[in-house]
Structures are given as C-alpha cells and as structure tokens.
Amino acid sequence: GKLHNREQLLSALHNAMGENGSFTMLLGGKSVGKSFVQKVLMDKLNEGSDHRIVRVDARKTGTDLASGIVRSIQEQEGWTKTGKKRLQDVVNVVADGVAGIPGLGKAITGGNEKLKTEEATIAIEAFIQAAESEKRKPCLIIDEAQMALGTNVEEQRHTNTILAFLTARTKQQQRLNVLLATSEHVYPDQKSVV
C-alpha cells in the first residue's frame, strides 16, 4: 500500500468528506493512529460548522451496529432548534410505533435490547433529515468497522443491510457522507453474504 503523511491524509479525507455522497474507507494497521486522524478530521470539519458528524466506535458497540448508530445520533450535541425538532419528530413517530417499529423508543431511553435493521435505517434517515434542516452535510464515521460485521450469517446480513442503506444514501442519493475506518479490508468481502 501507499504510505501518506498525516497532513496529506487529513487533506484527502477532508476533501472526500466535503463532497456530498462520499463513501470512504480509511484502511490501516492496528495502532497506527486511525482514531486520532478521525478526531482531527472531525475538528477540521466542525470548524466551518457546515457538517453534522456522528461517530460510532464499534469497539464499544461490537456487532450491534444499529444500536451504536442510534445512540451516537441521540448523544449528538449542538443541534439548532430546527434540527433538534426535526430529529425528535422522526424519532417520536418511530417510538410511538406509527412506523410499525416499537423497539426504537427503548433504545433511545437507554434500553439494552438489540435493535432491528429497520430501526437503524430510520434513525439514520432522521439524522440526515435533521442535518439537512440545518443546511448541514450529514457525516457518519464508523471506527473499527470490522468489529461491526458479526460472526454469524444473521449478524452479517443485518450489518450488510445497514451498509447497503448507507451506500444508497451516499452514492445514489448523495445525501450522506460515510467514513469507515478499519484495520481490515472488509466491505467488499461482506457484500457477498446475502
């Protein structure tokens, strides 16, 4: 592989995350500073205040990527009144079961149940809509993404469905930017699990 100095890497990642519809993979060996680079990138993106960034640490969430995404979105601070209302409106609809998905409310209030794929995709869509209502670019960063893939076919299907949803929101609709940071090259191999 090609070795970059950190400034070149940060510049390349900043440019990638600055465009709508980017799906970027940061691949590097263990303990080379991927998490540090993400934090510096987040600081740089936040300087202009035109990004809304959610970071999920898969070291903490493990294979439960859906819950990790929902919790990270809910923990996000600094929403404008408009953005917070839009996010809460979508969450309330889901939590009330109007969308036929009763579990999200428990996740938002601290329940420990594992979320369904549909709940994660609705939370991601709520995040996108809330960021758009603030005229900001929504960005999702998943650190140690390889840990979210799961060890059995069911967990892998669940994660692949979320990844397919993220791909649709990035590449096809150009409404979201995603950065997967991983120590292993996982995304293309995992797409084959149906």
Side-chain angles (χ1 to χ4, degrees), residues 30-46:
K30 293 185 184 290
S31 299
V32 297
K34 294 180 302 296
S35 297
F36 174 78
V37 166
Q38 291 168 53
K39 290 174 184 169
V40 173
L41 175 66
M42 289 173 62
D43 288 344
K44 284 187 171 226
L45 291 173
N46 282 327

Side-chain angles (χ1 to χ4, degrees), residues 114-126:
K114 196 164 186 173
L115 296 181
K116 297 179 180 116
T117 304
E118 297 85 14
E119 294 165 333
T121 58
I122 289 172
I124 295 165
E125 183 60 32

Side-chain angles (χ1 to χ4, degrees), residues 9-30:
L9 178 59
L10 282 167
S11 177
L13 289 172
H14 187 271
N15 290 339
M17 297 301 279
E19 297 295 321
N20 280 338
S22 71
F23 199 124
T24 306
M25 182 176 286
L26 174 59
L27 178 64
K30 293 185 184 290

Side-chain angles (χ1 to χ4, degrees), residues 37-70:
V37 166
Q38 291 168 53
K39 290 174 184 169
V40 173
L41 175 66
M42 289 173 62
D43 288 344
K44 284 187 171 226
L45 291 173
N46 282 327
E47 281 176 9
S49 295
D50 61 343
H51 290 81
R52 172 59 70 182
I53 305 164
V54 167
R55 182 174 177 269
V56 177
D57 186 347
R59 283 177 289 246
K60 295 178 183 172
T61 64
T63 59
D64 193 3
L65 181 59
S67 293
I69 290 171
V70 170

Side-chain angles (χ1 to χ4, degrees), residues 87-145:
L87 181 63
Q88 196 58 51
D89 287 347
V90 176
V91 167
N92 286 341
V93 167
V94 176
D96 289 343
V98 174
I101 303 169
L104 186 58
K106 289 180 185 167
I108 290 167
T109 59
N112 290 324
E113 71 182 55
K114 196 164 186 173
L115 296 181
K116 297 179 180 116
T117 304
E118 297 85 14
E119 294 165 333
T121 58
I122 289 172
I124 295 165
E125 183 60 32
F127 165 65
I128 293 169
Q129 289 182 27
E132 290 172 341
S133 75
E134 294 183 333
K135 307 284 189 245
R136 292 173 139 193
K137 295 176 186 172
C139 300
L140 176 64
I141 297 174
I142 303 175
D143 193 14
E144 296 297 340

